[in-house]
Amino acid sequence: MVLSLMRAQVADPAYDVSLIALNEGRLVREAIAEGIVVHLLPERELNAWQLVLRLRRVLTSLRSQLLHTHRYKENFFSCLVAPGLGIRPVVTLHGYGPSSFTPAGIQTFVRDSISFRLARRARTQFVAVSRDLQRLYRPKDDECITIPNGVATSAGSPRHRENRDQRLVIGWVGRLVPVKSVGTLLEALTHMGADRGQPTVLLVGDGPERAALTEHAKRLGIQTRVQFTGYVEDLSPFLARMDVFALPSLHEGAPIALLEAMAAGVPVVAAKVGGVPEMIGDSGAACLVDGHDPVVWARAIEGILADRAATDEMVKRARAGLFPSAFQSTRCTPGTANCITRSSHVEPLGGTHPCNRRLRNRPFLCERSL
């Protein structure tokens, strides 16, 4: 999504675009290949104070007018540094970590509260990927616009697994963190009937919960039926192996993984949380599950695996009904670009930086590497 936005704005003569990255990765390599200027601030080598100073130096040299960020840490540094340079921050809200009376839950609540208040003081323009996120964060109406995520889709027909003699594969894609509730999926696997031929779970991604989930699979006695891939850059071969994609998260904004699965022709079972219901609506493009009872999840997944005709119809509805209208990246990117353009005409907290007056109609857009 970030690269799609940068591509659109590089092609627009109204923009000078640079990427500020805190680590090397796929986005950096692809941006360089596209001819986009990249400034690397290696977060592993810099403490917070050094990072602030380096960021300030880069933004000053770029004579930036806008700074667009996507995640908590980058949002925090943007709203801390940008106003003093006369730069307008633009923050995209992608998700919301439900708070709880646990150390991690309390930390998330405090972190998000500080970050959001700092952003408000910096006169930040917010972009929420779902109306649910806009409701949860509660920015003022003139501070926020809702623009859903989008993914690229091919014109080809949905994929079909060629070898139906193989074990059925239940797939998941994302970062292994508590809010994703991957444990629900592992427990659901233990409740699936023998007539399903002992399906396997394919977990594509990495994160701090991997070790705990590995131990959980061992305790459940299903370790031989669970595969952890670790971080991967190309999802295509993994999506092609999946018979069903499951997303049992506690909260989601507008999950890219769900959109990528539907775009690839994989039937989806997802938790009825966050922005997911507003994405699917009454289209019948996915099976939505209330709650996180493993038995209920097992039955929902079994239903998808058992009724191939209904599943094929669900896939057709997803590709024909959702992507041409709402979640095609070529439709979502212009909305974000227009929002950013409007933001360039609003005076930031610190006033207009002298060097920005010469670039009023040629704003920089600085993105963070994912």
Side-chain angles (χ1 to χ4, degrees):
M1 189 65 182
V2 172
L3 188 62
S4 297
L5 179 59
M6 288 193 293
R7 282 185 183 132
Q9 292 178 319
V10 165
D12 189 334
Y15 293 93
D16 289 323
V17 181
S18 294
L19 170 69
I20 299 177
L22 301 189
N23 53 61
E24 294 183 280
R26 180 181 179 182
L27 179 58
V28 168
R29 294 192 295 273
E30 292 183 346
I32 292 173
E34 297 274 347
I36 297 170
V37 176
V38 175
H39 300 266
L40 184 62
L41 307 182
E43 60 181 339
R44 294 183 179 88
E45 302 173 16
L46 303 172
N47 60 38
W49 179 242
Q50 291 171 325
L51 190 56
V52 166
L53 292 178
R54 288 278 295 273
L55 177 60
R56 183 181 177 88
R57 192 177 307 139
V58 169
L59 292 173
T60 300
S61 69
L62 292 175
R63 299 185 295 180
S64 305
Q65 286 179 276
L66 297 170
L67 182 59
H68 186 189
T69 54
H70 292 266
R71 298 195 296 189
Y72 156 72
K73 184 186 295 184
E74 297 73 32
N75 298 345
F76 177 82
F77 283 113
S78 168
C79 296
L80 188 66
V81 173
L85 297 176
I87 298 170
R88 182 89 190 276
V90 178
V91 168
T92 295
L93 303 172
H94 285 279
Y96 182 85
S99 58
S100 61
F101 291 105
T102 64
I106 294 171
Q107 181 182 16
T108 298
F109 175 78
V110 173
R111 180 197 72 186
D112 289 349
S113 296
I114 293 174
S115 179
F116 188 70
R117 282 168 174 74
L118 182 63
R120 290 283 300 274
R121 287 180 60 85
R123 296 182 186 172
T124 296
Q125 171 65 57
F126 295 99
V127 179
V129 298
S130 70
R131 290 189 296 274
D132 177 73
L133 278 176
Q134 188 168 357
R135 178 184 62 81
L136 287 170
Y137 280 99
R138 292 181 295 180
K140 295 178 180 177
D141 290 342
D142 60 350
E143 295 176 337
C144 187
I145 185 172
T146 299
I147 303 173
N149 286 327
V151 296
T153 57
S154 65
S157 59
R159 70 93 185 95
H160 291 281
R161 285 188 61 194
E162 295 181 357
N163 188 356
R164 285 290 162 191
D165 293 330
Q166 296 177 351
R167 280 186 176 183
L168 296 170
V169 176
I170 304 165
W172 176 91
V173 177
R175 182 163 163 76
L176 296 169
V177 290
V179 72
K180 298 299 183 180
S181 192
V182 177
T184 298
L185 181 56
L186 299 184
E187 292 166 22
L189 189 62
T190 68
H191 294 283
M192 297 187 68
D195 59 328
R196 295 268 66 84
Q198 287 200 321
T200 62
V201 169
L202 177 64
L203 302 177
V204 183
D206 212 341
E209 288 283 289
R210 178 169 178 172
L213 289 167
T214 301
E215 289 301 314
H216 191 41
K218 290 179 180 178
R219 288 194 299 271
L220 294 171
I222 57 172
Q223 66 272 24
T224 60
R225 298 166 58 193
V226 179
Q227 179 186 355
F228 293 85
T229 69
Y231 172 76
V232 301
E233 292 195 347
D234 184 7
L235 286 177
S236 302
F238 298 96
L239 290 171
R241 291 172 53 190
M242 298 177 188
D243 291 280
V244 60
F245 175 85
L247 192 70
S249 305
L250 301 177
H251 189 273
E252 290 285 353
I256 290 287
L258 181 149
L259 294 174
E260 288 176 325
M262 291 196 296
V266 184
V268 169
V269 179
K272 195 174 182 179
V273 297
V276 175
E278 71 184 71
M279 292 171 67
I280 304 301
D282 57 0
S283 67
C287 172
L288 300 186
V289 179
D290 283 308
H292 295 82
D293 184 333
V295 175
V296 175
W297 272 85
R299 299 298 169 261
I301 293 170
E302 285 180 324
I304 293 293
L305 296 174
D307 193 340
R308 183 56 53 184
T311 297
D312 289 344
E313 180 62 26
M314 178 187 295
V315 169
K316 290 178 183 177
R317 289 179 179 180
R319 289 174 62 88
L322 296 185
F323 290 101
S325 59
F327 301 110
Q328 178 71 263
S329 60
T330 54
R331 295 180 62 89
C332 301
T333 297
T336 305
N338 291 337
C339 171
I340 290 171
T341 300
R342 291 196 299 273
S343 300
S344 67
H345 300 292
V346 178
E347 194 78 359
L349 179 62
T352 303
H353 194 283
C355 66
N356 283 348
R357 295 194 184 102
R358 300 195 301 271
L359 296 171
R360 174 57 62 188
N361 295 318
R362 296 183 61 78
F364 276 92
L365 172 67
C366 300
E367 296 281 4
R368 196 285 193 200
S369 178
L370 298 179

